């Protein structure tokens, strides 16, 4: 009886998720890409956010996507990817990978967003970029070395190649496992876009045997723990 009660509680908790999933339709809330785009780690389900530092919608999304991405399951890998649509977009993408190469934390990325949107600094030259990152202890020499490095150039080429595969025409956009793309306008807002991403992650989980089995094992362990707690409560 205790086990039946525990399973019933699990069903009650998951029912709202099923209701949300029923709202999303291919071609309306998201699109399936003609050809899959390679992901960073094939053992995990990738959620990639395509963005631009100069995009006000991307800046607005930051307070939502940070806590959301931190709570994604272990089998999901979240990555940020700068869009490369030419001009200043490419310069900012180069800046993004330079920050990554310098191993700076999220505060550096936050500073770039704030400089552009709050301080009217377009960061349209390496000199302006270096000056901004000086507050994080980066010398202009070290910045320029990474900014012009082969590693950063290679990351930039890879981002451009993947970006073409995503077939996105604007940002922010979220690409799930290199197969599906959604955006705020398509999904019906920033929060809905994240819900669509969650839904597509679940669809991919069901199609990935190793990930699905691992998740089932974790759920089984959680159910067992819950049943033990319930039994203890009944005995008391």
């Amino acid at each position: 009886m205790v086990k039946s009660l525990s399973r019933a509680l699990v069903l009650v908790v998951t029912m709202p998720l099923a209701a949300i999933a029923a709202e999303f339709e291919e071609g309306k809330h998201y699109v399936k890409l003609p050809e899959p785009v390679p992901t960073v780690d094939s053992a995990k389900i990738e959620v990639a956010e395509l963005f631009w530092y100069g995009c006000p919608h991307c800046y607005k999304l930051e307070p939502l996507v940070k806590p959301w991405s931190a709570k994604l399951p272990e089998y999901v890998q979240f990555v940020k990817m700068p869009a490369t649509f030419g001009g200043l977009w490419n310069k900012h993408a180069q800046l993004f990978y330079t920050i990554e190469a310098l191993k700076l934390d999220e505060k550096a990325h936050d500073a770039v967003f704030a400089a552009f949107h709050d301080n009217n600094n377009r960061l349209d030259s390496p000199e302006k970029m270096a000056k901004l990152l000086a507050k994080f202890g980066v010398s202009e020499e070290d910045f320029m070395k990474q900014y012009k490095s082969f590693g950063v150039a290679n990351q930039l080429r890879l981002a451009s190649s993947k970006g073409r595969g995503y077939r996105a025409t604007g940002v922010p956009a979220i690409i799930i496992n290199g197969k599906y793309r959604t955006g705020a306008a398509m999904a019906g807002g920033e929060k809905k876009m994240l819900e669509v991403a969650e839904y597509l992650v679940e669809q991919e989980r069901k199609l990935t045997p190793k990930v699905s089995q691992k998740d089932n094992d974790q759920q089984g362990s959680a159910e067992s723990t819950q049943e033990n707690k319930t039994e203890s409560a009944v005995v008391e």
Side-chain angles (χ1 to χ4, degrees), residues 164-198:
R164 288 191 293 273
Y166 294 155
R167 301 198 175 200
T169 57
V171 292
I174 291 184
I175 295 82
I176 297 85
N177 223 24
K179 298 179 181 179
Y180 306 96
R181 188 189 72 245
T182 186
M186 182 178 291
E190 286 85 1
K191 290 183 179 180
K192 280 291 184 183
M193 176 177 67
L194 300 183
E195 288 180 10
V196 172
E198 289 175 1

Side-chain angles (χ1 to χ4, degrees), residues 14 27 44 51 73 76 79 87-89 99 103-104 117 124 143 154 158 189 197 221:
T14 56
K44 292 191 175 185
F51 80 101
V76 176
V79 298
L88 191 57
W89 295 67
I99 291 174
K103 294 180 169 51
L104 300 179
H117 298 282
D124 51 8
F143 173 83
N154 190 51
L158 183 59
S221 177

Side-chain angles (χ1 to χ4, degrees), residues 90-236:
N90 287 23
K91 289 183 180 180
H92 284 180
Q94 191 170 351
L95 170 59
F96 172 84
Y97 287 116
T98 300
I99 291 174
E100 294 288 291
L102 289 167
K103 294 180 169 51
L104 300 179
D105 59 22
E106 285 188 356
K107 291 181 180 179
H109 294 295
D110 293 342
V112 175
F113 269 119
F116 192 100
H117 298 282
D118 300 335
N119 301 323
N120 198 30
N121 183 353
R122 289 174 55 80
L123 296 168
D124 51 8
S125 71
E127 290 74 22
K128 291 180 181 178
M129 298 174 188
K131 185 177 181 180
L132 176 68
L133 295 185
K135 66 176 68 175
F136 297 98
V138 178
S139 68
E140 183 173 353
E141 181 182 356
D142 288 341
F143 173 83
M144 292 300 183
K145 181 179 179 180
Q146 292 297 338
Y147 188 76
K148 298 177 181 179
S149 69
F150 172 80
V152 167
N154 190 51
Q155 290 285 355
L156 200 59
R157 283 193 293 271
L158 183 59
S160 296
S161 176
K162 286 190 172 185
R164 288 191 293 273
Y166 294 155
R167 301 198 175 200
T169 57
V171 292
I174 291 184
I175 295 82
I176 297 85
N177 223 24
K179 298 179 181 179
Y180 306 96
R181 188 189 72 245
T182 186
M186 182 178 291
E190 286 85 1
K191 290 183 179 180
K192 280 291 184 183
M193 176 177 67
L194 300 183
E195 288 180 10
V196 172
E198 289 175 1
Y199 163 69
L200 292 171
V201 164
E202 176 60 15
Q203 303 312 301
E204 282 298 291
R205 184 190 68 82
K206 294 175 181 177
L207 296 173
T208 310
K210 289 184 179 180
V211 169
S212 185
Q213 182 59 47
K214 182 178 179 181
D215 189 47
N216 287 337
D217 290 343
Q218 290 175 344
Q219 288 181 356
S221 177
E223 281 188 36
S224 178
T225 302
Q226 182 61 42
E227 287 173 5
N228 290 336
K229 287 182 179 179
T230 306
E231 287 173 357
S232 298
V234 170
V235 170
E236 291 176 1

